[in-house]
Structure formats: C-alpha cells, structure tokens
Amino acid sequence: MSNNSPLPIPAILSPCVGICRLDARGYCEGCYRTGDEIARWRSMSDAERSHYMDAVLPAREPA
C-alpha cells in the first residue's frame, strides 16, 4: 500500500550559530540579524524567513 500524499515541507530553522553579540551596526556577529529580527523570527512566515536566509542575511556578511 503506497502513500501518495506529499511530504511535509520542513520549517525553516534559525540561522543562529551561537555567537550572540551585536556589532556596532546592530547586527549579530554570528547570524547577522538585528535584535528585532531575532525577537520576531519565530512569528515570521516561512516565506519571510526564507527571504532573510536567501537574500537579506547573506548581503550583510562581511566581504
């Protein structure tokens, strides 16, 4: 007997890497989120989290 239902899409996890200090710009030195973004992360939609992971946070990484 086969199950043809699609597999659930996993939730987007936090980008936290355990280095939790804000730099002079107000970005976390580990994940590059602001304090507000860190606080809101759990209430963000998957689409918003995905946007942060794919575009916003990589753009903040030091060159």
Side-chain angles (χ1 to χ4, degrees), residues 12-36:
I12 297 171
L13 301 177
S14 169
C16 179
V17 295
I19 303 171
C20 304
R21 290 183 301 267
L22 297 181
D23 66 14
R25 300 175 300 165
Y27 298 147
C28 175
E29 292 179 5
C31 68
Y32 308 111
R33 293 179 292 171
T34 64
D36 179 60

Side-chain angles (χ1 to χ4, degrees), residues 36-48:
D36 179 60
E37 291 162 352
I38 293 167
R40 291 185 317 109
W41 189 261
R42 291 184 65 143
S43 64
M44 287 181 183
S45 68
D46 283 346
E48 190 174 10

